[in-house]
Amino acid sequence: MKEVEYKLDVNNLSKQFSPEEIKLNDVFKATIKTASPIVFDSYKKLRAGGSAILIDETSNVTVAACMIQ
C-alpha cells in the first residue's frame, strides 16, 4: 500500500485522517502501488471491472477487497 487517505468509522460514518493502524475488516480509502500496470473500470460505471481482491504474494492469503475509483 502506498498511502492511506482516511479510515471510515462505520458507527457514525466519520472520516479519521492519518489513522494509526488499519485492522481486519476496517473500511478505508487508500492508494496502492502495483508491480505492473493493471486494467480496470470505475466501480461506479461497471461493478465487475471495478472491484478486486488483493492477495499477499508471499502467503497467498486474501488481504483486502477493493472498489476502484
Side-chain angles (χ1 to χ4, degrees):
M1 195 169 358
K2 188 173 179 182
E3 174 187 9
V4 174
E5 186 174 327
Y6 62 82
K7 181 172 139 180
L8 188 66
D9 184 332
V10 295
N11 296 313
N12 58 21
L13 300 179
S14 66
K15 295 177 183 176
Q16 301 171 356
F17 294 93
S18 301
E20 292 181 16
E21 65 180 332
I22 300 295
K23 297 179 185 173
L24 184 63
N25 296 325
D26 280 346
V27 177
F28 59 96
K29 182 175 181 180
T31 302
I32 61 171
K33 182 179 178 180
T34 59
S36 59
I38 58 172
V39 177
F40 64 91
D41 295 301
S42 169
Y43 187 81
K44 289 181 181 179
K45 292 183 180 180
L46 185 63
R47 291 176 64 178
S51 59
I53 58 171
L54 299 180
I55 299 173
D56 184 306
E57 64 185 347
T58 57
S59 65
N60 293 322
V61 173
T62 301
V63 294
C66 326
M67 292 184 296
I68 304 169
Q69 283 187 316

